[in-house]
Amino acid sequence: MSRVGRGADGGAGAPPADGVRPAAELAELLAAMVREETVAPEVGTDGDVVDDAAADAADAPFRRLHALLRRHYPAVFATAGVDAVGRNGLLLRLPGDPGRAEDENGAENAARAAAGGVTVLGPCVLMAHQDVVPAPGADEDWAGAGWTHPPFAGVVAPGPDGELTVHGRGTLDDKGALLVLLEAVESLLVSGWRPVNDLHLLLGADEERTGTCAQAAAHLLRERGVSPAFVLDEGGAVAVDAFPGVREPMAVVGVAEKGLTTLEVSVEADPRRAGHASTPPRRSATAALGGAVAALERHPHPAVVDDVTVSLLESLAPHLSGPLAAVAGRAGSLRGVLARLLPRLGGEMAALVRTTTTATQLVGSAAPNVIAARAVAVVNMRVATSSTVARATAHVDRVVQLAVHGRRRRAGDGLTARVRVVAASEPSPPAPMDAGWDRIVRAVESSYPDAVAVPYTMLAASDSRFLVPISERVYRFAPLRMTARQRAGIHGVDENVGADALVRGVRFYRALLAP
């Protein structure tokens, strides 16, 4: 691992004039972070780790990552109080200086208060997570899995467009965001900046599993009486080619988040019937389950254009042309038309306006010559803000029951279909587009002046959902530029981020905290 950045020993050195280190240095440091294979241990439905020995081994990369962060961000860790939250999670509290917001020194003090940026609003929480989704290790067939470089090698090399790029698992989700956040705070602290109110940095370590670190942090903040005035986590990004007809990059900021629900859809046969593959029944539990899963795809949840999507479309209207511009500009009065139109424009547009369901796991018989007495599909459901977990689950149950039993319940096949909620979280309410939103927009203008800032509902799930009960201003945005190809690499193959995006990401957080 090469030594990068703040002095030859990896510690603090003189900061650059603008507070942002060169792109090549940021790229090398992110590569070092990628080399730590921080995959959170697998947990069961009860929340406990499945394999204690494997979990203990999984802790080592997190410990090494913590050491790396302490070495490269000494001012952050010297200034902050640090609490362990969950397994390997960190909650840092940088104490505020309320005197900066008092009006006893006139214009000079007002200028100091303005320099506190978003922390003027009150206690703030900025979030990024350390863990990543699994990928093939160095001793596995990573090339056969489709990777150009080993996922955890931390390769810095030109990308498809020739730009200096960091390749590897976690570069976008979410170590790139972690890097630029800590870089910005470190450089500001070194320059003498302090937050007006407490600034909390929540660095989760199991966002890709269950989010217990964020849950523990939310509980700790609630116990301490902290109601954050502003929360910013991963979610949107500076997306290129994200909306048909929009040429400019879009800084899509999640002001709401879909609910996340895991369903178990099962079909059971009469256990007294023969279960040998040589004498199959006319209709098996496995076949009936397959029909139910296919029916869920044929009968999606209803499409609804909510207020957030209306705001998104109206914000984009000036950047569109032709009939689409006219329709987007009148989105509020054309919700019905848009509810029919948007699902036809592709998967991302469909997901904006409806609850989505997809089967992710299938379980049948334990042996190749035994007919399953019970077939199970795990269904991942993302609940739209226009719905609830109960309403969305009822839709799934109706479709499944109709697929398995028909309008007139079939007699004699002995099959029983059930839909069970395994885990669920409701969609979040939209955050207000007020002072918190305005500060995000101004920070985007400072770091990506060619981008259009627009609100949207985050389609995936983030750790920030656990802070919604204690804060009304919860936003989701990672200040990194992502092409369509790069977005496909998140949880996929060849995940990578451009070095220039890291520089701009640092500028975003600096502008957010000290405009």
Side-chain angles (χ1 to χ4, degrees):
M1 182 185 307
S2 60
R3 289 178 177 172
V4 188
R6 302 183 185 279
D9 60 352
D18 67 349
V20 184
R21 287 194 281 169
E25 292 186 12
L26 296 177
E28 290 292 346
L29 180 51
L30 178 57
M33 295 167 62
V34 168
R35 292 178 195 126
E36 302 302 342
E37 196 169 336
T38 50
V39 176
E42 184 180 357
V43 295
T45 55
D46 57 0
D48 293 333
V49 295
V50 173
D51 184 331
D52 288 333
D56 290 340
D59 290 341
F62 285 97
R63 288 194 295 268
R64 292 194 297 269
L65 178 61
H66 293 173
L68 184 151
L69 297 181
R70 288 180 178 275
R71 186 165 68 252
H72 285 280
Y73 303 112
V76 170
F77 284 90
T79 304
V82 182
D83 288 293
V85 286
R87 190 178 192 116
N88 299 310
L90 301 174
L91 178 63
L92 283 65
R93 171 185 166 270
L94 284 76
D97 180 5
R100 295 182 176 233
E102 295 174 359
D103 194 25
E104 52 192 49
N105 294 320
E108 179 183 353
N109 201 67
R112 294 177 67 207
V118 74
T119 65
V120 171
L121 300 176
C124 296
V125 181
L126 303 182
M127 304 171 63
H129 62 86
Q130 312 163 56
D131 61 306
V132 300
V133 295
D139 57 348
E140 298 177 281
D141 186 12
W142 49 268
W147 289 80
T148 304
H149 304 284
F152 295 104
V155 172
V156 179
D161 59 357
E163 179 192 359
L164 186 66
T165 300
V166 189
H167 302 264
R169 175 60 83 222
T171 47
L172 290 176
D173 186 17
D174 188 35
K175 287 179 177 176
L178 174 63
L179 169 81
V180 299
L181 169 59
L182 292 176
E183 280 284 328
V185 176
E186 176 78 12
S187 65
L188 288 172
L189 290 173
V190 169
S191 72
W193 171 89
R194 292 296 181 272
V196 172
N197 290 286
D198 288 357
L199 174 62
H200 303 267
L201 307 180
L202 173 50
L203 314 181
D206 61 354
E207 191 273 347
E208 303 293 0
R209 296 291 192 188
T210 56
T212 57
C213 296
Q215 294 176 63
H219 178 74
L220 186 59
L221 291 171
R222 187 185 293 109
E223 276 191 337
R224 292 173 175 173
V226 178
S227 297
F230 180 91
V231 176
L232 184 62
D233 193 9
E234 64 169 338
V238 179
V240 179
D241 298 327
F243 193 93
V246 178
R247 296 180 180 179
E248 297 89 341
M250 291 169 50
V252 287
V253 181
V255 297
E257 181 174 312
K258 280 187 163 184
L260 172 60
T261 300
T262 300
L263 300 176
E264 179 188 84
V265 178
S266 63
V267 178
E268 295 184 40
D270 186 339
R272 295 169 296 182
R273 294 175 181 266
H276 199 286
S278 63
T279 56
R282 184 173 61 182
R283 189 161 177 261
S284 68
T286 304
L289 177 67
V293 170
L296 287 174
E297 293 189 354
R298 292 196 308 270
H299 302 283
H301 296 253
V304 177
V305 176
D306 62 13
D307 291 344
V308 174
T309 304
V310 168
S311 296
L312 165 66
L313 294 171
E314 290 179 345
S315 299
L316 289 177
H319 306 277
L320 296 167
S321 59
L324 190 56
V327 172
R330 298 173 54 207
S333 59
L334 295 175
R335 295 178 192 244
V337 172
L338 289 165
R340 294 189 295 273
L341 172 63
L342 291 176
R344 299 177 183 177
L345 299 180
E348 285 186 342
M349 294 299 103
L352 276 177
V353 295
R354 63 162 47 117
T355 296
T356 60
T357 54
T358 184
T360 54
Q361 295 175 295
L362 298 171
V363 179
S365 168
N369 62 342
V370 175
I371 296 174
R374 183 172 185 263
V376 178
V378 175
V379 172
N380 184 283
M381 183 166 69
R382 304 301 172 110
V383 184
T385 57
S386 58
S387 186
T388 64
V389 171
R391 295 211 314 262
T393 302
H395 172 90
V396 171
D397 188 64
R398 284 193 299 271
V399 173
V400 168
Q401 298 299 336
L402 186 61
V404 174
H405 300 301
R407 296 189 182 279
R408 295 181 179 179
R409 189 176 182 88
R410 294 183 177 93
D413 61 10
L415 299 178
T416 302
R418 293 186 176 88
V419 175
R420 182 175 71 89
V421 176
V422 178
S425 63
E426 296 287 351
S428 72
M433 294 176 64
D434 60 3
W437 168 264
D438 292 342
R439 281 166 168 77
I440 293 173
V441 171
R442 287 200 292 270
V444 168
E445 291 171 347
S446 295
S447 51
Y448 292 92
D450 58 337
V452 181
V454 296
Y456 90 121
T457 296
M458 184 177 170
L459 307 180
S462 71
D463 271 345
S464 69
R465 68 187 187 274
F466 300 115
L467 274 71
V468 169
I470 61 173
S471 176
E472 67 172 3
R473 285 198 192 102
V474 178
Y475 305 93
R476 302 146 187 93
F477 177 70
L480 301 175
R481 183 182 184 275
M482 303 183 193
T483 64
R485 184 171 180 175
Q486 286 173 317
R487 295 196 298 277
I490 298 175
H491 289 207
V493 301
D494 278 354
E495 185 177 353
N496 68 83
V497 67
D500 178 68
L502 300 177
V503 171
R504 291 174 182 268
V506 178
R507 288 176 180 156
F508 170 86
Y509 275 117
R510 284 178 58 91
L512 184 71
L513 293 167

